[in-house]
Amino acid sequence: MNFMASKQPENSLLGPEADSQRTLYPYVTGTSVVALKYKDGILMAADMGGSYGSTLRYKNVERMKAIGKHSLLGASGEISDFQEILRYLDDLILYDNMWDDGNSLGPKEVHNYLTRVMYNRRNKFNPLWNSLVLGGIKNGQKYLGTVSMIGVNFEDDHVATGFGNHLARPILRQEWHENLSFEDGVKLLEKCMRVLLYRDRSAINKLQIAKITEEGMTISQPYSLKTYWEFSAFENPTQGAVGSW
Amino acid sequence: MFRNQYDTDVTTWSPAGRLFQVEYAMEAVKQGSAAIGLRSKTHVVLGCVNKANSELSSHQKKIFKVDDHIGVAIAGLTADGRVLSRYMRNECINYNFTYESPLPVGRLVVQLADKAQVCTQRSWKRPYGVGLLVAGLDESGAHLYYNCPSGNYFEYQAFAIGSRSQAAKTYLERRFENFTDSSRDDLVKDAITAIRETLQGETLKSSICTIAVVGIGEPFHILDQGTVQQIIDTFEIAAEQEGPAAEPDAAEQSAAAADQGGSTDEGVAPMDI
């Protein structure tokens, strides 16, 4: 009894061989991205670390990139997937420019495009393992949003990924206000990044701050934050903690 | 236009470098009942003449809403027009789903033109026999485009297509320089007047014309008959007050235009056997 079994071509995504092609775990990852709206546009901060599991292996990874004229994308999670996303967006912006009419894709459009991409990949059980922050300004309208690897997306005045959600957002909720000046915005972001540096194991002390305004995107040279390790709470962390040693 | 041995196929060139099937498709547009469009910086108005087959039937739908910010008026084979409207609606919806933003009308028009071009270069297809006046909004303001069966598209300040459109075009040519800064209501009045020109003396009633408007802050919608009739009434009154002196002049001009129009592009030339 020989039923005509259809043979799959070698590179097919159907059948058991396909499972080895799906994303199961991330390998080289970036940690938090923090961003906020300020008077002239968006400010975003991310460190330059690429961790390989618990090893802080790569120390020169740029995790924020400009998209077109109006947007700025920051990513945490799998770095190779971030690079893949940049390729998709490159094509998108190229086709947008090739129309050569007065229209261009703004941050809102790019954010929604990314949401569709992330959600569709998640539905195929083959996610792009990233949490993305998309900010920008077009025609005076500021926009800041985030998309996760399962396609959850929303906009807000300040967003963060990963540990940033737990450590940075509470600070931003207290101290963010409309129309921050550039200096105040940077100080606020540095405050958030310092907390992350102290408390996030995968953070490294080398960060960049990017800003996007109507004039365009600029990204700072990598720099480090001043840290202080002599706090008594650090010296005797368990003093007063009942039951701890 | 004469019948000849190069006009059976859209994929056959004539020795003079013409594609007769495409040109015949453009003739079909000229046979349809008139449609006009005009725009200012912020608004676009579309209008068309409704022709019913008989007193018993309703008239054909010639103006379609494509999206909140885009509408289209057609002249020619209305069935082809309906199918293209469905394509346009689909494109707008898909773009909106992916980008949560309205599809710029300039891009839709190019996609439409590319679709029409395909039909001029396949032996198993025929060109669409319909001309489209596409009214819509872009990042750069209000736009009016005309899409031909040939796959060409042009942007216009004001235009008219279909039978007896020459009369409307003459009227629009006289007035178009003022349109950019016109108010929305003046634009509608000009559209109704242009339609009246194509009627060649027939009484203008809201039952035989349809007007639609789209503008910044105003989604595309077709004006209801009552509103249109009101506007018509306001200028019938104005025309009466102006006195009989003005009317005969206008009538003479449009009659003269119609005579010239009739002999050149209105009506098909008799078939040569």
Side-chain angles (χ1 to χ4, degrees):
Chain A
M1 281 249 247
N2 185 20
F3 295 107
M4 284 289 283
S6 56
K7 192 164 169 2
Q8 309 280 19
E10 257 175 41
N11 54 356
S12 156
L13 282 170
L14 302 169
E17 300 81 45
D19 288 344
S20 64
Q21 303 248 25
R22 291 178 180 175
T23 303
L24 296 171
Y25 331 98
Y27 286 93
V28 179
T29 55
T31 185
S32 327
V33 178
V34 190
L36 47 77
K37 285 186 188 167
Y38 81 109
K39 183 163 57 90
D40 304 323
I42 310 290
L43 280 169
M44 196 183 293
D47 70 21
M48 298 195 75
S51 305
Y52 186 64
S54 52
T55 308
L56 301 176
R57 185 159 173 191
Y58 301 103
K59 310 238 177 128
N60 203 25
V61 182
E62 263 199 40
R63 296 195 289 116
M64 297 181 292
K65 292 286 182 190
I67 309 294
K69 285 186 292 213
H70 307 284
S71 314
L72 173 57
L73 175 67
S76 67
E78 174 61 57
I79 301 295
S80 62
D81 283 349
F82 175 51
Q83 290 169 348
E84 185 77 347
I85 290 170
L86 289 177
R87 236 179 24 82
Y88 288 152
L89 290 176
D90 212 23
D91 282 349
L92 185 74
I93 299 293
L94 182 73
Y95 283 121
D96 189 45
N97 290 337
M98 270 166 55
W99 283 102
D100 199 19
D101 56 9
N103 301 295
S104 52
L105 292 172
K108 176 167 141 120
E109 288 81 20
V110 177
H111 184 228
N112 277 287
Y113 172 79
L114 286 172
T115 305
R116 289 295 115 228
V117 170
M118 301 300 272
Y119 184 65
N120 277 308
R121 289 290 296 256
R122 162 263 199 204
N123 284 341
K124 297 197 275 203
F125 280 89
N126 186 197
L128 289 159
W129 207 287
N130 294 107
S131 283
L132 305 168
V133 173
L134 198 297
I137 178 168
K138 187 174 173 201
N139 296 334
Q141 288 266 53
K142 295 186 279 245
Y143 187 91
L144 181 59
T146 177
V147 197
S148 76
M149 70 189 246
I150 56 172
V152 175
N153 79 307
F154 55 89
E155 286 175 58
D156 210 337
D157 296 324
H158 45 81
V159 295
T161 67
F163 262 88
N165 273 311
H166 301 106
L167 298 174
R169 299 259 349 253
I171 300 176
L172 293 167
R173 279 180 206 127
Q174 285 274 32
E175 305 195 15
W176 184 90
H177 58 85
E178 270 300 348
N179 290 321
L180 282 162
S181 70
F182 175 72
E183 291 75 27
D184 285 344
V186 172
K187 265 213 285 271
L188 192 48
L189 277 180
E190 283 184 349
K191 185 169 182 175
C192 296
M193 296 304 282
R194 185 171 289 108
V195 174
L196 287 166
L197 182 57
Y198 283 130
R199 296 295 178 176
D200 181 2
R201 250 178 39 156
S202 21
I204 63 164
N205 198 1
K206 183 178 177 190
L207 71 141
Q208 289 177 303
I209 298 207
K211 93 164 144 68
I212 184 156
T213 60
E214 289 281 15
E215 281 80 55
M217 189 277 236
T218 54
I219 184 165
S220 70
Q221 286 289 73
Y223 68 102
S224 59
L225 297 168
K226 278 210 278 278
T227 56
Y228 181 70
W229 297 98
E230 317 314 316
F231 288 116
S232 61
F234 291 170
E235 316 249 276
N236 282 313
T238 52
Q239 191 165 66
V242 179
S244 196
W245 58 93
Chain B
M1 287 225 186
F2 312 121
R3 271 234 74 189
N4 53 59
Q5 54 179 162
Y6 307 109
D7 70 353
T8 318
D9 237 285
V10 77
T11 50
T12 304
W13 287 101
S14 82
R18 295 158 71 168
L19 287 171
F20 281 103
Q21 279 296 306
V22 176
E23 294 184 24
Y24 295 164
M26 316 260 261
E27 271 302 311
V29 177
K30 294 184 197 158
Q31 295 308 307
S33 53
I36 60 113
L38 28 75
R39 73 157 164 112
S40 71
K41 233 182 339 212
T42 54
H43 287 78
V44 194
V45 179
L46 292 174
C48 71
V49 170
N50 304 331
K51 271 299 183 295
N53 279 335
S54 75
E55 287 209 357
L56 296 170
S57 77
S58 66
H59 62 84
Q60 286 202 307
K61 192 162 161 188
K62 283 164 46 84
I63 295 191
F64 298 92
K65 174 170 174 166
V66 168
D67 202 343
D68 282 336
H69 67 298
I70 301 183
V72 63
I74 63 170
L77 263 51
T78 41
D80 283 3
R82 212 178 50 240
V83 156
L84 287 176
S85 304
R86 187 166 58 230
Y87 168 75
M88 292 165 79
R89 286 170 177 167
N90 209 34
E91 291 300 299
C92 283
I93 278 185
N94 285 337
Y95 188 92
N96 213 318
F97 178 69
T98 309
Y99 300 102
E100 261 210 47
S101 206
L103 173 59
V105 63
R107 297 191 179 187
L108 177 61
V109 156
V110 175
Q111 283 174 255
L112 203 51
D114 288 345
K115 191 172 163 72
Q117 191 282 338
V118 169
C119 299
T120 66
Q121 212 174 7
R122 305 280 184 271
S123 59
W124 62 92
K125 287 183 181 250
R126 64 157 176 83
Y128 287 105
V130 64
L132 301 119
L133 281 172
V134 184
L137 306 176
D138 223 55
E139 247 179 77
S140 41
H143 297 270
L144 174 69
Y145 294 92
Y146 171 53
N147 278 69
C148 291
S150 60
N152 285 322
Y153 67 96
F154 308 95
E155 186 167 3
Y156 284 97
Q157 187 77 45
F159 200 48
I161 55 176
S163 68
R164 292 187 281 212
S165 58
Q166 188 52 53
K169 266 191 247 182
T170 315
Y171 171 80
L172 294 170
E173 271 168 32
R174 267 187 281 136
R175 307 281 304 263
F176 80 94
E177 262 143 7
N178 303 324
F179 290 161
T180 317
D181 300 310
S182 251
S183 75
R184 173 215 186 266
D185 293 330
D186 283 340
L187 220 57
V188 174
K189 281 208 199 88
D190 275 319
I192 296 181
T193 319
I195 300 236
R196 191 176 57 185
E197 301 294 313
T198 67
L199 292 173
Q200 229 82 176
E202 214 181 304
T203 351
L204 176 64
K205 297 184 287 225
S206 62
S207 55
I208 55 170
C209 70
T210 310
I211 305 285
V213 188
V214 65
I216 297 181
E218 187 176 350
F220 184 88
H221 64 288
I222 297 178
L223 300 182
D224 78 294
Q225 281 216 341
T227 322
V228 177
Q229 190 58 51
Q230 269 179 344
I231 304 177
I232 293 174
D233 292 336
T234 54
F235 49 79
E236 304 289 59
I237 298 172
E240 276 171 25
Q241 286 175 346
E242 249 174 64
E247 275 296 272
D249 288 348
E252 269 167 25
Q253 275 179 3
S254 48
D259 284 346
Q260 287 162 352
S263 51
T264 46
D265 54 4
E266 262 75 72
V268 194
M271 193 165 102
D272 249 19
I273 307 162

